[in-house]
Amino acid sequence: MKTKIKPSTFPLGGIHPRSLGFNTMDNEIKNADLPHFVSIPLSQHIGVPANAVVKPGDIVKTGDVIGESSGFVSVNIHSSVPGKVLEIKKGYSAIGSMTEMVVIEFEGELNMSRTGKSPVKWKDMSCEDIIKKIKDMGIVGLGGATFPTHIKYSVPSDKKITELVINAVECEPYLSADYRVMLEKIDDMLIGIEIAKKLLNVKNVYIGIEDDKPEAIQKISEAVSNIEGIEVVDLQHKYPQGGEKQLIKAILGREVPSGGLPLDVGVVVSNIGTIVAVKEAVVDGKPLTERVVTVTGSIVKNPGNYKIKIGTMIKDVLAEVGLIEDPGKIVMGGPMMGLAQYNDEMPVTKGTSGILVLSKKQAKAYHHAPCVRCGKCISVCPMGLDPTLLCTSIELDRAEKAIEQGQNDCIECGCCSYTCPSQKHLAQTIKLGKLRQIARRKGEA
Amino acid sequence: MAQDNSLLISSSPHIRTKDKLPVVMWSVVIALIPAGVWSYFVFGISAIITIGVSVGAAVLTELIINLLIGKRITVINGSAFLTGLLIAYNLPASAGGHLPIYIPIAASVFAIAVIKLAFGGLGQNWMNPALGGRIFVFFAWTRLMTSGWAAPMSPDVVSSATPLAALKFNAGTLPTHLDLFLGKTSGCIGEVSAAALILGGVFLIIRKIVNWEIPVFYILTTAILAWIFGGLNASTPALFTGDPLYHILSGGLMLGAIFMATDWVTSPMLFKGRVLFAVGCGIITVLIRLTGRNVEGVSFAIVLMNIAVPLIDRLFRLGIFGTPGKEKKA
Ligand code: SF4
Ligand code: SF4
């Protein structure tokens, strides 16, 4: 392995978001307190929700299937604690959509139903069996997109994958969950990579790490130094390097075509957390019932990286970490793309990479002024779009024009809004344009 | 806790840059302070009066129009203040007291009311308001605007000519390069000291408020062209004998290149466009200075290029990521 002399990065746009003065990079992963109740949504992934297979009154153990995948683009949902099913209710999940949730009251001992078993010899398993295992264990992309991993690793026969890229770039500023995982779980990561290599039938693996994490670069470089085909790529720190298209461009110099997928350029990108989850699922038989979440913000007393049971309420998490004052805004995810929550009764799901708590002072509604044509939004857009032009088209309801101008190429990274001196709601307007387009399509159908 | 509606919900991103519009505008004002202070030492209190009148008129005009049409009050964003300041800096320092105060007032009112607000307010104006105001009074009161220049350091004495006029018409004595750089010459209030303006410019470029490409390419183009063709006016005309330093240090080039050509609203949005814009400004400036009846080319050059900005912006567009070879349609 070798690291490049001058770290590469994606060429177009990008920003260095300002620091708000808190940092959790050095906080080791800690197990969060066990919740008294969990509320587990049956739709935590892109695709079809799982079907509930428990009913109120049922007793479940940790890791028991409570929602069965219903179709190919769907995965199983497991109980994250032992206890009694109280009810199955409808509620809003953190992404704002209505979904069924299984509410379980914690009872008994936290005892992984599989502990004590010896690790599975995955090398003897067939690819089909491994894929099935990944699906059964409910593994989805942990970077935030929650795309079912078994689908990502089942490459259509007409596509040839030549590279596997491991996304070890923190997707969002202020978050450090991926960083801690890569420091603390190197061995698991290496096994996970081997499994993915087998499934995808690839030889070359690139692990992209940004140069603001020299410790990780050094440790992982050492760990892979005598493994054939794995290379650590040192990347220049810049947001949104964690975007798949940006990462592929930065590491391999290839551009995923507009409207296309990484598959189209022979690449599969996996988040580092996902890779570790794949290992745990396949080798240890561990379903995805917990994940590392960065809980942070300047009014958080004990910010850090916590391993949290899926279904734990935000309010329980916040009670544990402690808040200095009443929050002004609670964001699931990071500051650039996360979702503001309307209350703290939201469960942590498989897609929750961070919980960001902003103070009343930091949570401002921005009054926007007219565009002053500074061009900053254009120069920071990683997709080469003209956000102000797009925004005007959408505001004037010129849908066709907006699509021509690349509305659907926008990755919603938020760089344009972040940087606009007039504080125009650029990314927000473009998202609105996309929603309108979906609504129109539904209307036509 | 937080069961009430106390949580703010808004679409991402949840953080924004600190360089908001008012911060930007006031930073430019700060960057202009050294040149203003310098004008006091060179031209005395009359310079300060002109500055005060023109800033006051600009701010009041904007405030009154805001109130009249019932729009959001926009004066605190500093843009009217800045326009007034730039207008004053572009007005001549006259000998024996200041300009009649109706001149700065007329320039400011015209700039704010006609050039900026009548076109829809900040962001919609196609011409730099300060320059528009200046050109308006230049044509309205040409004689007052072009004669009676105060001599530096002794503001009551009428100097025979500004440095550029002296160079062009072989009138009066030429100030030295050092005097030009430091600002010990006749001229407009804010333009005389290249040193003070460069100081402000460096501050703004480091703060990433103005781009470097427009000032650098504008000044370079002017210097090169002045060097090649500047000698043609001399008694024994010859190419490549011009005095580039003299041209770039005098006649408001620094003020124009650093503070007015870089105005966001009226300059191109992307790098390549800005370079073309700046080179265009340079060419027109030299053309006017060397061949026109007028000795100062900067204001007209910038305004002419302002007009071309929409075209330039159309010319240079980035391609959308993942669509090789396909250019974006405007
Ligand atoms: S949100 Fe969309 S338009 Fe804005 S910078 Fe990101 S990709 Fe470009
Ligand atoms: S960043 Fe804002 S002010 Fe600047 S061009 Fe874009 S929309 Fe206009």
Side-chain angles (χ1 to χ4, degrees):
Chain A
M1 94 88 230
K2 56 186 183 302
T3 41
K4 294 193 181 135
I5 321 246
K6 188 176 183 303
S8 57
T9 185
F10 56 98
L12 278 177
I15 56 170
H16 297 101
R18 67 196 168 97
S19 155
L20 289 183
F22 43 82
N23 186 351
T24 50
M25 278 181 52
D26 297 329
N27 298 48
E28 277 175 27
I29 298 172
K30 247 176 75 181
N31 285 324
D33 292 347
L34 293 171
H36 294 297
F37 295 92
V38 289
S39 180
I40 305 174
L42 289 175
S43 173
Q44 297 183 33
H45 45 260
I46 290 178
V48 195
N51 290 326
V53 293
V54 288
K55 50 186 189 317
D58 283 2
I59 302 293
V60 291
K61 295 195 300 290
T62 313
D64 280 359
V65 175
I66 54 171
E68 211 157 55
S69 74
S70 53
F72 186 56
V73 191
S74 183
V75 295
N76 283 347
I77 306 280
H78 306 78
S79 176
S80 54
V81 293
K84 193 163 88 193
V85 177
L86 288 185
E87 57 170 337
I88 297 173
K89 63 165 190 191
K90 284 215 168 246
Y92 285 106
S93 70
I95 55 168
S97 58
M98 190 59 104
T99 171
E100 283 195 334
M101 305 203 195
V102 178
V103 183
I104 299 169
E105 183 177 15
F106 192 111
E107 262 176 24
E109 289 278 306
L110 184 75
N111 199 352
M112 288 300 287
S113 44
R114 275 156 203 81
T115 38
K117 281 194 186 169
S118 57
V120 173
K121 295 207 172 54
W122 65 272
K123 283 191 177 147
D124 303 336
M125 290 168 73
S126 71
C127 287
E128 287 73 42
D129 289 346
I130 298 177
I131 292 279
K132 185 165 182 311
K133 192 91 181 249
I134 291 175
K135 181 180 180 186
D136 289 347
M137 293 296 137
I139 308 302
V140 299
L142 295 180
T146 64
F147 188 73
T149 305
H150 67 278
I151 301 177
K152 203 172 222 179
Y153 289 172
S154 312
V155 182
S157 51
D158 58 327
K159 303 272 183 201
K160 171 88 186 100
I161 300 299
T162 46
E163 283 94 4
L164 168 66
V165 168
I166 306 298
N167 185 350
V169 172
E170 207 72 55
C171 293
E172 287 253 15
Y174 310 162
L175 303 189
S176 54
D178 286 350
Y179 175 66
R180 291 315 307 183
V181 169
M182 74 181 102
L183 279 186
E184 296 176 33
K185 303 239 162 155
I186 293 184
D187 296 338
D188 288 356
M189 179 188 87
L190 293 179
I191 297 170
I193 291 176
E194 291 306 318
I195 296 172
K197 265 172 91 174
K198 173 173 169 157
L199 294 178
L200 297 167
N201 191 21
V202 294
K203 299 221 162 45
N204 301 319
V205 182
Y206 297 90
I207 307 177
I209 310 177
E210 288 188 315
D211 57 5
D212 63 327
K213 307 184 181 76
E215 200 186 335
I217 294 177
Q218 198 213 342
K219 264 196 162 167
I220 297 178
S221 297
E222 268 166 28
V224 301
S225 56
N226 42 24
I227 304 176
E228 191 65 19
I230 304 186
E231 185 177 327
V232 172
V233 185
D234 191 353
L235 298 169
Q236 214 175 300
H237 178 51
K238 193 162 86 175
Y239 174 83
Q241 195 124 247
E244 281 188 336
K245 294 182 175 182
Q246 278 63 42
L247 192 62
I248 294 171
K249 179 82 185 179
I251 294 182
L252 300 166
R254 265 174 249 165
E255 238 169 70
V256 177
S258 168
L261 291 169
L263 282 183
D264 299 327
V265 288
V267 184
V268 163
V269 182
S270 260
N271 172 273
I272 187 126
T274 317
I275 283 288
V276 170
V278 164
K279 181 263 168 185
E280 290 177 344
V282 175
V283 180
D284 312 328
K286 187 175 163 232
L288 187 54
T289 58
E290 55 186 11
R291 66 157 299 153
V292 181
V293 180
T294 303
V295 187
T296 191
S298 46
I299 59 168
V300 176
K301 276 190 202 136
N302 298 302
N305 305 294
Y306 294 88
K307 193 176 258 183
I308 299 179
K309 300 285 173 205
I310 303 292
T312 307
M313 293 290 174
I314 302 181
K315 66 171 178 206
D316 295 335
V317 176
L318 296 185
E320 180 183 350
V321 297
L323 295 183
I324 294 164
E325 55 181 63
D326 273 354
K329 200 184 221 180
I330 298 177
V331 178
M332 285 281 228
M336 297 302 291
M337 294 179 74
L339 292 154
Q341 302 298 316
Y342 67 91
N343 70 19
D344 54 6
E345 307 238 335
M346 288 292 165
V348 168
T349 66
K350 294 176 182 177
T352 310
S353 47
I355 300 174
L356 174 68
V357 190
L358 297 179
S359 69
K360 290 244 188 280
K361 235 179 94 203
Q362 288 163 338
K364 278 180 290 219
Y366 294 94
H367 181 93
H368 66 97
C371 169
V372 290
R373 295 180 25 89
C374 68
K376 286 185 194 257
C377 54
I378 309 177
S379 52
V380 298
C381 178
M383 298 304 289
L385 305 177
D386 184 333
T388 175
L389 190 69
L390 253 173
C391 198
T392 312
S393 300
I394 295 165
E395 278 167 359
L396 298 176
D397 226 343
R398 293 189 186 143
E400 292 297 314
K401 217 160 197 169
I403 292 166
E404 241 173 63
Q405 289 159 349
Q407 168 186 293
N408 297 330
D409 288 297
C410 168
I411 58 167
E412 306 182 7
C413 64
C415 290
C416 49
S417 298
Y418 173 85
T419 201
C420 175
S422 287
Q423 310 199 301
K424 276 185 72 91
H425 304 311
L426 297 163
Q428 292 88 332
T429 307
I430 298 169
K431 283 185 250 181
L432 177 73
K434 289 185 178 178
L435 288 177
R436 280 195 195 147
Q437 193 193 351
I438 293 169
R440 257 196 313 276
R441 250 200 240 131
K442 276 194 184 145
E444 278 162 18
Chain B
M1 56 161 267
Q3 298 304 332
D4 49 310
N5 293 331
S6 65
L7 289 180
L8 181 74
I9 312 171
S10 65
S11 182
S12 60
H14 305 289
I15 48 170
R16 300 285 186 115
T17 173
K18 277 213 160 106
D19 288 335
K20 306 182 271 195
L21 206 53
V23 176
V24 167
M25 292 292 175
W26 291 112
S27 303
V28 181
V29 170
I30 290 171
L32 282 166
I33 287 176
V37 171
W38 182 250
S39 73
Y40 172 72
F41 291 113
V42 186
F43 303 121
I45 192 70
S46 67
I48 302 298
I49 293 173
T50 306
I51 292 174
V53 169
S54 115
V55 167
V59 171
L60 265 179
T61 310
E62 175 140 327
L63 184 66
I64 291 169
I65 293 179
N66 278 168
L67 291 174
L68 278 182
I69 58 177
K71 285 246 282 210
R72 210 177 137 81
I73 306 293
T74 47
V75 272
I76 41 158
N77 72 17
S79 103
F81 191 101
L82 178 58
T83 301
L85 196 60
L86 284 173
I87 286 174
Y89 281 19
N90 274 294
L91 292 176
S94 300
H98 45 81
L99 275 179
I101 64 165
Y102 55 79
I103 289 187
I105 293 178
S108 287
V109 172
F110 185 81
I112 299 289
V114 178
I115 299 195
K116 191 166 109 180
L117 295 179
F119 281 94
L122 185 64
Q124 303 299 317
N125 49 295
W126 55 269
M127 183 200 284
N128 185 322
L131 287 177
R134 183 215 167 148
I135 291 173
F136 171 67
V137 291
F138 180 84
F139 282 123
W141 293 280
T142 311
R143 199 188 51 79
L144 277 174
M145 289 286 291
T146 51
S147 63
W149 300 93
M153 303 307 177
S154 46
D156 290 331
V157 180
V158 176
S159 149
S160 55
T162 59
L164 273 183
L167 182 69
K168 185 164 181 175
F169 305 120
N170 299 320
T173 40
L174 293 182
T176 64
H177 286 149
L178 187 67
D179 281 349
L180 278 175
F181 181 70
L182 295 176
K184 289 197 249 172
T185 68
S186 319
C188 289
I189 291 174
E191 73 180 24
V192 286
S193 170
L197 293 167
I198 291 173
L199 189 72
V202 168
F203 164 73
L204 291 180
I205 290 173
I206 290 174
R207 287 275 284 102
K208 290 209 161 92
I209 287 174
V210 306
N211 53 73
W212 62 269
E213 53 264 23
I214 289 181
V216 167
F217 278 94
Y218 190 173
I219 293 168
L220 267 184
T221 307
T222 309
I224 293 170
L225 291 178
W227 171 61
I228 299 178
F229 301 111
L232 293 180
N233 280 346
S235 37
T236 46
L239 284 175
F240 304 105
T241 54
D243 184 344
L245 213 52
Y246 205 87
H247 272 272
I248 64 175
L249 291 176
S250 62
L253 183 71
M254 286 294 163
L255 184 63
I258 298 172
F259 292 95
M260 288 184 296
T262 53
D263 172 33
W264 282 347
V265 180
T266 52
S267 63
M269 299 211 268
L270 295 173
F271 180 82
K272 282 185 198 160
R274 285 172 181 158
V275 173
L276 181 67
F277 172 84
V279 170
C281 286
I283 294 173
I284 299 175
T285 302
V286 175
L287 214 61
I288 295 177
R289 281 189 181 178
L290 296 183
T291 65
R293 198 166 50 86
N294 197 336
V295 287
E296 314 277 344
V298 173
S299 307
F300 291 103
I302 296 175
V303 166
L304 283 174
M305 289 310 288
N306 283 165
I307 298 170
V309 164
L311 287 173
I312 297 177
D313 269 343
R314 255 162 207 262
L315 213 54
F316 300 106
R317 294 197 166 276
L318 300 171
I320 298 176
F321 186 96
T323 55
K326 220 171 78 190
E327 286 294 294
K328 211 177 349 168
K329 296 200 192 95

